[in-house]
Amino acid sequence: MELTAQAESGLAYCTDRFDIERFHRIGALARDLMQTVAAEDLPAYERTVASAAGYTTPKVDVRAGIFDPPGRVLLVREVSDPHRWSLPGGWCDIRESPRQAIEREVAEEAGLTVRATHLAGVVDRELWPHTPVYDRHIYKLLFVCAPLAELDPSFTSEETSEVAWFEVDDLPELSPSRVVPEQITLLHRHWARPGPAHLD
């Protein structure tokens, strides 16, 4: 990932044609290295994509910790990972604030209107026990959100097949690419006693 970022960042600023070729070679080699550890086939190296990528920065994922009065956490069952559960959330869109992103994701995945009340953590996915390894660097913004309506337990969407409340100390099988139990614990702690956000 770091080699890819160095190649794309170099291509964003470089004007020397020989250095441009060197950065493309580094990018192609980085793609081949990632393929050796990837769980599935990666796309081929694309010179035009790498040249237009600009200075490379981490992608941003948002996740919502929503709790009912007894302290149970709301989880959604992912269609793309049908036997595993996750906190509602996903990628931030361009020209969308973090608050807008998390509130939209919860509405789309859980059918619930919420208000993001505070940021519980800014975490680096690579520093937590997520699997599998991704071919991109990701920061996760963990928000405590307050429900503004009652949950419809029959809600489903294109992305989620089920929504349900769970005890924090008795979680179902989680989707480890999206969330790990330690992050739910962190969110629960902030829901019970708001404080400064955790920073990796």
PDB file of all heavy atoms in Angstrom, residues 123-157:
ATOM      1  N   VAL A 123      -9.948   5.670  14.217  1.00  0.00           N
ATOM      2  CA  VAL A 123      -9.067   4.511  14.302  1.00  0.00           C
ATOM      3  C   VAL A 123      -8.499   4.152  12.931  1.00  0.00           C
ATOM      4  O   VAL A 123      -9.119   4.380  11.898  1.00  0.00           O
ATOM      5  CB  VAL A 123      -9.791   3.298  14.940  1.00  0.00           C
ATOM      6  CG1 VAL A 123     -10.311   3.641  16.326  1.00  0.00           C
ATOM      7  CG2 VAL A 123     -10.918   2.771  14.067  1.00  0.00           C
ATOM      8  N   ASP A 124      -7.318   3.584  12.986  1.00  0.00           N
ATOM      9  CA  ASP A 124      -6.610   3.102  11.808  1.00  0.00           C
ATOM     10  C   ASP A 124      -6.926   1.617  11.674  1.00  0.00           C
ATOM     11  O   ASP A 124      -6.580   0.822  12.552  1.00  0.00           O
ATOM     12  CB  ASP A 124      -5.113   3.339  12.007  1.00  0.00           C
ATOM     13  CG  ASP A 124      -4.273   2.931  10.812  1.00  0.00           C
ATOM     14  OD1 ASP A 124      -4.716   2.086  10.012  1.00  0.00           O
ATOM     15  OD2 ASP A 124      -3.145   3.449  10.692  1.00  0.00           O
ATOM     16  N   ARG A 125      -7.605   1.227  10.604  1.00  0.00           N
ATOM     17  CA  ARG A 125      -8.024  -0.166  10.441  1.00  0.00           C
ATOM     18  C   ARG A 125      -6.871  -1.148  10.601  1.00  0.00           C
ATOM     19  O   ARG A 125      -7.047  -2.246  11.125  1.00  0.00           O
ATOM     20  CB  ARG A 125      -8.686  -0.345   9.064  1.00  0.00           C
ATOM     21  CG  ARG A 125      -9.283  -1.737   8.845  1.00  0.00           C
ATOM     22  CD  ARG A 125      -9.858  -1.853   7.432  1.00  0.00           C
ATOM     23  NE  ARG A 125     -10.542  -3.118   7.229  1.00  0.00           N
ATOM     24  CZ  ARG A 125      -9.949  -4.248   6.857  1.00  0.00           C
ATOM     25  NH1 ARG A 125      -8.633  -4.283   6.671  1.00  0.00           N
ATOM     26  NH2 ARG A 125     -10.672  -5.346   6.685  1.00  0.00           N
ATOM     27  N   GLU A 126      -5.681  -0.761  10.159  1.00  0.00           N
ATOM     28  CA  GLU A 126      -4.541  -1.680  10.218  1.00  0.00           C
ATOM     29  C   GLU A 126      -4.067  -1.951  11.639  1.00  0.00           C
ATOM     30  O   GLU A 126      -3.353  -2.924  11.876  1.00  0.00           O
ATOM     31  CB  GLU A 126      -3.375  -1.119   9.394  1.00  0.00           C
ATOM     32  CG  GLU A 126      -3.621  -1.156   7.904  1.00  0.00           C
ATOM     33  CD  GLU A 126      -2.352  -0.947   7.121  1.00  0.00           C
ATOM     34  OE1 GLU A 126      -1.285  -0.748   7.722  1.00  0.00           O
ATOM     35  OE2 GLU A 126      -2.420  -1.001   5.886  1.00  0.00           O
ATOM     36  N   LEU A 127      -4.435  -1.094  12.597  1.00  0.00           N
ATOM     37  CA  LEU A 127      -3.979  -1.277  13.972  1.00  0.00           C
ATOM     38  C   LEU A 127      -4.963  -2.089  14.810  1.00  0.00           C
ATOM     39  O   LEU A 127      -4.729  -2.311  15.999  1.00  0.00           O
ATOM     40  CB  LEU A 127      -3.746   0.090  14.629  1.00  0.00           C
ATOM     41  CG  LEU A 127      -2.704   0.986  13.947  1.00  0.00           C
ATOM     42  CD1 LEU A 127      -2.565   2.306  14.696  1.00  0.00           C
ATOM     43  CD2 LEU A 127      -1.361   0.270  13.846  1.00  0.00           C
ATOM     44  N   TRP A 128      -6.057  -2.541  14.190  1.00  0.00           N
ATOM     45  CA  TRP A 128      -7.067  -3.343  14.874  1.00  0.00           C
ATOM     46  C   TRP A 128      -7.134  -4.705  14.184  1.00  0.00           C
ATOM     47  O   TRP A 128      -6.699  -4.845  13.039  1.00  0.00           O
ATOM     48  CB  TRP A 128      -8.423  -2.632  14.825  1.00  0.00           C
ATOM     49  CG  TRP A 128      -8.422  -1.331  15.587  1.00  0.00           C
ATOM     50  CD1 TRP A 128      -7.778  -0.182  15.250  1.00  0.00           C
ATOM     51  CD2 TRP A 128      -9.081  -1.056  16.821  1.00  0.00           C
ATOM     52  NE1 TRP A 128      -7.994   0.798  16.189  1.00  0.00           N
ATOM     53  CE2 TRP A 128      -8.793   0.294  17.159  1.00  0.00           C
ATOM     54  CE3 TRP A 128      -9.903  -1.799  17.667  1.00  0.00           C
ATOM     55  CZ2 TRP A 128      -9.285   0.891  18.318  1.00  0.00           C
ATOM     56  CZ3 TRP A 128     -10.397  -1.195  18.810  1.00  0.00           C
ATOM     57  CH2 TRP A 128     -10.092   0.125  19.132  1.00  0.00           C
ATOM     58  N   PRO A 129      -7.675  -5.736  14.856  1.00  0.00           N
ATOM     59  CA  PRO A 129      -7.620  -7.094  14.283  1.00  0.00           C
ATOM     60  C   PRO A 129      -8.649  -7.377  13.187  1.00  0.00           C
ATOM     61  O   PRO A 129      -9.354  -8.386  13.213  1.00  0.00           O
ATOM     62  CB  PRO A 129      -7.843  -7.983  15.517  1.00  0.00           C
ATOM     63  CG  PRO A 129      -8.656  -7.155  16.450  1.00  0.00           C
ATOM     64  CD  PRO A 129      -8.186  -5.738  16.243  1.00  0.00           C
ATOM     65  N   HIS A 130      -8.714  -6.489  12.196  1.00  0.00           N
ATOM     66  CA  HIS A 130      -9.611  -6.703  11.060  1.00  0.00           C
ATOM     67  C   HIS A 130      -9.005  -7.712  10.085  1.00  0.00           C
ATOM     68  O   HIS A 130      -7.792  -7.736   9.879  1.00  0.00           O
ATOM     69  CB  HIS A 130      -9.841  -5.387  10.302  1.00  0.00           C
ATOM     70  CG  HIS A 130     -10.689  -4.410  11.023  1.00  0.00           C
ATOM     71  ND1 HIS A 130     -12.053  -4.504  11.077  1.00  0.00           N
ATOM     72  CD2 HIS A 130     -10.363  -3.296  11.726  1.00  0.00           C
ATOM     73  CE1 HIS A 130     -12.539  -3.491  11.772  1.00  0.00           C
ATOM     74  NE2 HIS A 130     -11.525  -2.755  12.196  1.00  0.00           N
ATOM     75  N   THR A 131      -9.865  -8.504   9.475  1.00  0.00           N
ATOM     76  CA  THR A 131      -9.461  -9.397   8.389  1.00  0.00           C
ATOM     77  C   THR A 131     -10.546  -9.344   7.324  1.00  0.00           C
ATOM     78  O   THR A 131     -11.718  -9.135   7.655  1.00  0.00           O
ATOM     79  CB  THR A 131      -9.294 -10.846   8.884  1.00  0.00           C
ATOM     80  OG1 THR A 131     -10.514 -11.282   9.495  1.00  0.00           O
ATOM     81  CG2 THR A 131      -8.145 -10.978   9.857  1.00  0.00           C
ATOM     82  N   PRO A 132     -10.192  -9.535   6.048  1.00  0.00           N
ATOM     83  CA  PRO A 132      -8.840  -9.710   5.525  1.00  0.00           C
ATOM     84  C   PRO A 132      -8.107  -8.373   5.428  1.00  0.00           C
ATOM     85  O   PRO A 132      -8.698  -7.319   5.634  1.00  0.00           O
ATOM     86  CB  PRO A 132      -9.100 -10.278   4.128  1.00  0.00           C
ATOM     87  CG  PRO A 132     -10.387  -9.640   3.717  1.00  0.00           C
ATOM     88  CD  PRO A 132     -11.203  -9.564   4.981  1.00  0.00           C
ATOM     89  N   VAL A 133      -6.831  -8.449   5.080  1.00  0.00           N
ATOM     90  CA  VAL A 133      -6.048  -7.248   4.811  1.00  0.00           C
ATOM     91  C   VAL A 133      -6.594  -6.620   3.538  1.00  0.00           C
ATOM     92  O   VAL A 133      -6.900  -7.314   2.575  1.00  0.00           O
ATOM     93  CB  VAL A 133      -4.557  -7.615   4.638  1.00  0.00           C
ATOM     94  CG1 VAL A 133      -3.756  -6.413   4.184  1.00  0.00           C
ATOM     95  CG2 VAL A 133      -4.009  -8.172   5.940  1.00  0.00           C
ATOM     96  N   TYR A 134      -6.761  -5.308   3.529  1.00  0.00           N
ATOM     97  CA  TYR A 134      -7.224  -4.598   2.338  1.00  0.00           C
ATOM     98  C   TYR A 134      -6.043  -4.030   1.565  1.00  0.00           C
ATOM     99  O   TYR A 134      -4.954  -3.845   2.111  1.00  0.00           O
ATOM    100  CB  TYR A 134      -8.158  -3.452   2.731  1.00  0.00           C
ATOM    101  CG  TYR A 134      -9.591  -3.852   2.976  1.00  0.00           C
ATOM    102  CD1 TYR A 134     -10.530  -2.895   3.336  1.00  0.00           C
ATOM    103  CD2 TYR A 134     -10.018  -5.167   2.838  1.00  0.00           C
ATOM    104  CE1 TYR A 134     -11.857  -3.240   3.567  1.00  0.00           C
ATOM    105  CE2 TYR A 134     -11.334  -5.518   3.060  1.00  0.00           C
ATOM    106  CZ  TYR A 134     -12.247  -4.548   3.427  1.00  0.00           C
ATOM    107  OH  TYR A 134     -13.558  -4.889   3.650  1.00  0.00           O
ATOM    108  N   ASP A 135      -6.290  -3.720   0.289  1.00  0.00           N
ATOM    109  CA  ASP A 135      -5.244  -3.135  -0.552  1.00  0.00           C
ATOM    110  C   ASP A 135      -5.281  -1.612  -0.498  1.00  0.00           C
ATOM    111  O   ASP A 135      -4.759  -0.936  -1.374  1.00  0.00           O
ATOM    112  CB  ASP A 135      -5.379  -3.617  -1.997  1.00  0.00           C
ATOM    113  CG  ASP A 135      -6.690  -3.187  -2.634  1.00  0.00           C
ATOM    114  OD1 ASP A 135      -7.599  -2.760  -1.901  1.00  0.00           O
ATOM    115  OD2 ASP A 135      -6.804  -3.301  -3.875  1.00  0.00           O
ATOM    116  N   ARG A 136      -5.914  -1.038   0.529  1.00  0.00           N
ATOM    117  CA  ARG A 136      -5.971   0.398   0.716  1.00  0.00           C
ATOM    118  C   ARG A 136      -5.914   0.703   2.209  1.00  0.00           C
ATOM    119  O   ARG A 136      -6.260  -0.142   3.023  1.00  0.00           O
ATOM    120  CB  ARG A 136      -7.237   0.984   0.088  1.00  0.00           C
ATOM    121  CG  ARG A 136      -8.520   0.492   0.726  1.00  0.00           C
ATOM    122  CD  ARG A 136      -9.742   0.809  -0.095  1.00  0.00           C
ATOM    123  NE  ARG A 136      -9.825  -0.017  -1.272  1.00  0.00           N
ATOM    124  CZ  ARG A 136     -10.540  -1.142  -1.337  1.00  0.00           C
ATOM    125  NH1 ARG A 136     -11.200  -1.571  -0.293  1.00  0.00           N
ATOM    126  NH2 ARG A 136     -10.579  -1.835  -2.439  1.00  0.00           N
ATOM    127  N   HIS A 137      -5.478   1.888   2.533  1.00  0.00           N
ATOM    128  CA  HIS A 137      -5.378   2.314   3.923  1.00  0.00           C
ATOM    129  C   HIS A 137      -6.695   2.978   4.310  1.00  0.00           C
ATOM    130  O   HIS A 137      -7.218   3.804   3.567  1.00  0.00           O
ATOM    131  CB  HIS A 137      -4.216   3.298   4.065  1.00  0.00           C
ATOM    132  CG  HIS A 137      -3.800   3.541   5.474  1.00  0.00           C
ATOM    133  ND1 HIS A 137      -2.813   4.416   5.820  1.00  0.00           N
ATOM    134  CD2 HIS A 137      -4.234   3.027   6.648  1.00  0.00           C
ATOM    135  CE1 HIS A 137      -2.658   4.435   7.125  1.00  0.00           C
ATOM    136  NE2 HIS A 137      -3.525   3.599   7.648  1.00  0.00           N
ATOM    137  N   ILE A 138      -7.229   2.641   5.488  1.00  0.00           N
ATOM    138  CA  ILE A 138      -8.559   3.096   5.873  1.00  0.00           C
ATOM    139  C   ILE A 138      -8.539   3.660   7.286  1.00  0.00           C
ATOM    140  O   ILE A 138      -8.004   3.042   8.207  1.00  0.00           O
ATOM    141  CB  ILE A 138      -9.571   1.931   5.806  1.00  0.00           C
ATOM    142  CG1 ILE A 138      -9.677   1.407   4.366  1.00  0.00           C
ATOM    143  CG2 ILE A 138     -10.946   2.354   6.335  1.00  0.00           C
ATOM    144  CD1 ILE A 138     -10.359   0.062   4.264  1.00  0.00           C
ATOM    145  N   TYR A 139      -9.121   4.836   7.451  1.00  0.00           N
ATOM    146  CA  TYR A 139      -9.430   5.377   8.774  1.00  0.00           C
ATOM    147  C   TYR A 139     -10.915   5.136   9.017  1.00  0.00           C
ATOM    148  O   TYR A 139     -11.742   5.317   8.120  1.00  0.00           O
ATOM    149  CB  TYR A 139      -9.154   6.877   8.851  1.00  0.00           C
ATOM    150  CG  TYR A 139      -7.702   7.280   8.866  1.00  0.00           C
ATOM    151  CD1 TYR A 139      -7.348   8.604   8.699  1.00  0.00           C
ATOM    152  CD2 TYR A 139      -6.682   6.345   9.044  1.00  0.00           C
ATOM    153  CE1 TYR A 139      -6.013   9.007   8.713  1.00  0.00           C
ATOM    154  CE2 TYR A 139      -5.357   6.738   9.063  1.00  0.00           C
ATOM    155  CZ  TYR A 139      -5.026   8.065   8.891  1.00  0.00           C
ATOM    156  OH  TYR A 139      -3.713   8.458   8.904  1.00  0.00           O
ATOM    157  N   LYS A 140     -11.255   4.764  10.246  1.00  0.00           N
ATOM    158  CA  LYS A 140     -12.644   4.541  10.623  1.00  0.00           C
ATOM    159  C   LYS A 140     -13.059   5.589  11.656  1.00  0.00           C
ATOM    160  O   LYS A 140     -12.372   5.766  12.660  1.00  0.00           O
ATOM    161  CB  LYS A 140     -12.816   3.128  11.200  1.00  0.00           C
ATOM    162  CG  LYS A 140     -12.432   2.025  10.222  1.00  0.00           C
ATOM    163  CD  LYS A 140     -12.441   0.652  10.858  1.00  0.00           C
ATOM    164  CE  LYS A 140     -13.821   0.071  10.955  1.00  0.00           C
ATOM    165  NZ  LYS A 140     -14.470  -0.192   9.663  1.00  0.00           N
ATOM    166  N   LEU A 141     -14.162   6.273  11.388  1.00  0.00           N
ATOM    167  CA  LEU A 141     -14.721   7.226  12.333  1.00  0.00           C
ATOM    168  C   LEU A 141     -15.883   6.542  13.044  1.00  0.00           C
ATOM    169  O   LEU A 141     -16.846   6.132  12.399  1.00  0.00           O
ATOM    170  CB  LEU A 141     -15.209   8.488  11.615  1.00  0.00           C
ATOM    171  CG  LEU A 141     -14.216   9.197  10.694  1.00  0.00           C
ATOM    172  CD1 LEU A 141     -14.850  10.459  10.107  1.00  0.00           C
ATOM    173  CD2 LEU A 141     -12.935   9.531  11.427  1.00  0.00           C
ATOM    174  N   LEU A 142     -15.765   6.411  14.365  1.00  0.00           N
ATOM    175  CA  LEU A 142     -16.779   5.718  15.156  1.00  0.00           C
ATOM    176  C   LEU A 142     -17.639   6.753  15.880  1.00  0.00           C
ATOM    177  O   LEU A 142     -17.141   7.500  16.722  1.00  0.00           O
ATOM    178  CB  LEU A 142     -16.112   4.781  16.170  1.00  0.00           C
ATOM    179  CG  LEU A 142     -15.101   3.779  15.592  1.00  0.00           C
ATOM    180  CD1 LEU A 142     -14.468   2.969  16.709  1.00  0.00           C
ATOM    181  CD2 LEU A 142     -15.749   2.870  14.564  1.00  0.00           C
ATOM    182  N   PHE A 143     -18.933   6.780  15.551  1.00  0.00           N
ATOM    183  CA  PHE A 143     -19.858   7.758  16.109  1.00  0.00           C
ATOM    184  C   PHE A 143     -20.873   7.097  17.036  1.00  0.00           C
ATOM    185  O   PHE A 143     -21.427   6.047  16.698  1.00  0.00           O
ATOM    186  CB  PHE A 143     -20.645   8.461  14.996  1.00  0.00           C
ATOM    187  CG  PHE A 143     -19.833   9.392  14.160  1.00  0.00           C
ATOM    188  CD1 PHE A 143     -19.273   8.965  12.965  1.00  0.00           C
ATOM    189  CD2 PHE A 143     -19.641  10.704  14.546  1.00  0.00           C
ATOM    190  CE1 PHE A 143     -18.529   9.827  12.175  1.00  0.00           C
ATOM    191  CE2 PHE A 143     -18.898  11.576  13.767  1.00  0.00           C
ATOM    192  CZ  PHE A 143     -18.339  11.138  12.581  1.00  0.00           C
ATOM    193  N   VAL A 144     -21.139   7.725  18.172  1.00  0.00           N
ATOM    194  CA  VAL A 144     -22.304   7.356  18.969  1.00  0.00           C
ATOM    195  C   VAL A 144     -23.480   8.117  18.367  1.00  0.00           C
ATOM    196  O   VAL A 144     -23.398   9.327  18.148  1.00  0.00           O
ATOM    197  CB  VAL A 144     -22.113   7.723  20.458  1.00  0.00           C
ATOM    198  CG1 VAL A 144     -23.402   7.470  21.238  1.00  0.00           C
ATOM    199  CG2 VAL A 144     -20.955   6.934  21.050  1.00  0.00           C
ATOM    200  N   CYS A 145     -24.556   7.394  18.075  1.00  0.00           N
ATOM    201  CA  CYS A 145     -25.733   7.996  17.448  1.00  0.00           C
ATOM    202  C   CYS A 145     -26.970   7.723  18.294  1.00  0.00           C
ATOM    203  O   CYS A 145     -27.128   6.627  18.850  1.00  0.00           O
ATOM    204  CB  CYS A 145     -25.953   7.425  16.049  1.00  0.00           C
ATOM    205  SG  CYS A 145     -24.628   7.820  14.881  1.00  0.00           S
ATOM    206  N   ALA A 146     -27.845   8.707  18.366  1.00  0.00           N
ATOM    207  CA  ALA A 146     -29.092   8.576  19.125  1.00  0.00           C
ATOM    208  C   ALA A 146     -30.245   8.323  18.161  1.00  0.00           C
ATOM    209  O   ALA A 146     -30.416   9.079  17.197  1.00  0.00           O
ATOM    210  CB  ALA A 146     -29.355   9.842  19.925  1.00  0.00           C
ATOM    211  N   PRO A 147     -31.029   7.262  18.402  1.00  0.00           N
ATOM    212  CA  PRO A 147     -32.184   7.014  17.526  1.00  0.00           C
ATOM    213  C   PRO A 147     -33.245   8.092  17.726  1.00  0.00           C
ATOM    214  O   PRO A 147     -33.520   8.501  18.848  1.00  0.00           O
ATOM    215  CB  PRO A 147     -32.674   5.635  17.961  1.00  0.00           C
ATOM    216  CG  PRO A 147     -32.132   5.423  19.327  1.00  0.00           C
ATOM    217  CD  PRO A 147     -30.883   6.241  19.442  1.00  0.00           C
ATOM    218  N   LEU A 148     -33.863   8.528  16.619  1.00  0.00           N
ATOM    219  CA  LEU A 148     -34.903   9.541  16.669  1.00  0.00           C
ATOM    220  C   LEU A 148     -36.283   8.945  16.400  1.00  0.00           C
ATOM    221  O   LEU A 148     -37.268   9.670  16.323  1.00  0.00           O
ATOM    222  CB  LEU A 148     -34.613  10.652  15.650  1.00  0.00           C
ATOM    223  CG  LEU A 148     -33.286  11.386  15.826  1.00  0.00           C
ATOM    224  CD1 LEU A 148     -33.112  12.443  14.749  1.00  0.00           C
ATOM    225  CD2 LEU A 148     -33.171  12.000  17.223  1.00  0.00           C
ATOM    226  N   ALA A 149     -36.336   7.627  16.258  1.00  0.00           N
ATOM    227  CA  ALA A 149     -37.595   6.924  15.997  1.00  0.00           C
ATOM    228  C   ALA A 149     -37.463   5.506  16.517  1.00  0.00           C
ATOM    229  O   ALA A 149     -36.386   5.090  16.971  1.00  0.00           O
ATOM    230  CB  ALA A 149     -37.910   6.934  14.504  1.00  0.00           C
ATOM    231  N   GLU A 150     -38.534   4.761  16.448  1.00  0.00           N
ATOM    232  CA  GLU A 150     -38.505   3.346  16.846  1.00  0.00           C
ATOM    233  C   GLU A 150     -37.947   2.501  15.708  1.00  0.00           C
ATOM    234  O   GLU A 150     -38.198   2.776  14.532  1.00  0.00           O
ATOM    235  CB  GLU A 150     -39.923   2.862  17.192  1.00  0.00           C
ATOM    236  CG  GLU A 150     -40.503   3.487  18.443  1.00  0.00           C
ATOM    237  CD  GLU A 150     -39.757   3.066  19.698  1.00  0.00           C
ATOM    238  OE1 GLU A 150     -39.391   1.875  19.810  1.00  0.00           O
ATOM    239  OE2 GLU A 150     -39.514   3.940  20.556  1.00  0.00           O
ATOM    240  N   LEU A 151     -37.193   1.477  16.058  1.00  0.00           N
ATOM    241  CA  LEU A 151     -36.653   0.563  15.068  1.00  0.00           C
ATOM    242  C   LEU A 151     -37.753  -0.329  14.513  1.00  0.00           C
ATOM    243  O   LEU A 151     -38.570  -0.862  15.266  1.00  0.00           O
ATOM    244  CB  LEU A 151     -35.559  -0.302  15.705  1.00  0.00           C
ATOM    245  CG  LEU A 151     -34.931  -1.366  14.795  1.00  0.00           C
ATOM    246  CD1 LEU A 151     -34.086  -0.707  13.712  1.00  0.00           C
ATOM    247  CD2 LEU A 151     -34.092  -2.341  15.609  1.00  0.00           C
ATOM    248  N   ASP A 152     -37.772  -0.491  13.197  1.00  0.00           N
ATOM    249  CA  ASP A 152     -38.659  -1.458  12.553  1.00  0.00           C
ATOM    250  C   ASP A 152     -37.885  -2.764  12.418  1.00  0.00           C
ATOM    251  O   ASP A 152     -36.999  -2.871  11.571  1.00  0.00           O
ATOM    252  CB  ASP A 152     -39.080  -0.944  11.182  1.00  0.00           C
ATOM    253  CG  ASP A 152     -39.928  -1.954  10.407  1.00  0.00           C
ATOM    254  OD1 ASP A 152     -40.216  -3.044  10.943  1.00  0.00           O
ATOM    255  OD2 ASP A 152     -40.287  -1.642   9.256  1.00  0.00           O
ATOM    256  N   PRO A 153     -38.173  -3.774  13.256  1.00  0.00           N
ATOM    257  CA  PRO A 153     -37.371  -5.007  13.228  1.00  0.00           C
ATOM    258  C   PRO A 153     -37.519  -5.820  11.942  1.00  0.00           C
ATOM    259  O   PRO A 153     -36.733  -6.729  11.705  1.00  0.00           O
ATOM    260  CB  PRO A 153     -37.874  -5.788  14.443  1.00  0.00           C
ATOM    261  CG  PRO A 153     -39.225  -5.239  14.722  1.00  0.00           C
ATOM    262  CD  PRO A 153     -39.218  -3.804  14.274  1.00  0.00           C
ATOM    263  N   SER A 154     -38.491  -5.462  11.105  1.00  0.00           N
ATOM    264  CA  SER A 154     -38.670  -6.196   9.848  1.00  0.00           C
ATOM    265  C   SER A 154     -37.943  -5.526   8.682  1.00  0.00           C
ATOM    266  O   SER A 154     -38.018  -5.999   7.544  1.00  0.00           O
ATOM    267  CB  SER A 154     -40.163  -6.312   9.513  1.00  0.00           C
ATOM    268  OG  SER A 154     -40.716  -5.022   9.255  1.00  0.00           O
ATOM    269  N   PHE A 155     -37.222  -4.441   8.963  1.00  0.00           N
ATOM    270  CA  PHE A 155     -36.557  -3.689   7.895  1.00  0.00           C
ATOM    271  C   PHE A 155     -35.487  -4.535   7.209  1.00  0.00           C
ATOM    272  O   PHE A 155     -34.707  -5.234   7.861  1.00  0.00           O
ATOM    273  CB  PHE A 155     -35.910  -2.419   8.455  1.00  0.00           C
ATOM    274  CG  PHE A 155     -35.159  -1.631   7.412  1.00  0.00           C
ATOM    275  CD1 PHE A 155     -35.829  -0.740   6.595  1.00  0.00           C
ATOM    276  CD2 PHE A 155     -33.793  -1.804   7.242  1.00  0.00           C
ATOM    277  CE1 PHE A 155     -35.140  -0.021   5.617  1.00  0.00           C
ATOM    278  CE2 PHE A 155     -33.100  -1.089   6.276  1.00  0.00           C
ATOM    279  CZ  PHE A 155     -33.777  -0.194   5.460  1.00  0.00           C
ATOM    280  N   THR A 156     -35.450  -4.450   5.877  1.00  0.00           N
ATOM    281  CA  THR A 156     -34.368  -5.030   5.070  1.00  0.00           C
ATOM    282  C   THR A 156     -34.048  -4.040   3.963  1.00  0.00           C
ATOM    283  O   THR A 156     -34.834  -3.131   3.672  1.00  0.00           O
ATOM    284  CB  THR A 156     -34.754  -6.389   4.441  1.00  0.00           C
ATOM    285  OG1 THR A 156     -35.864  -6.199   3.563  1.00  0.00           O
ATOM    286  CG2 THR A 156     -35.097  -7.421   5.517  1.00  0.00           C
ATOM    287  N   SER A 157     -32.895  -4.216   3.346  1.00  0.00           N
ATOM    288  CA  SER A 157     -32.494  -3.352   2.236  1.00  0.00           C
ATOM    289  C   SER A 157     -31.654  -4.162   1.271  1.00  0.00           C
ATOM    290  O   SER A 157     -31.412  -5.355   1.486  1.00  0.00           O
ATOM    291  CB  SER A 157     -31.690  -2.158   2.764  1.00  0.00           C
ATOM    292  OG  SER A 157     -30.389  -2.569   3.154  1.00  0.00           O
TER     293      SER A 157
END
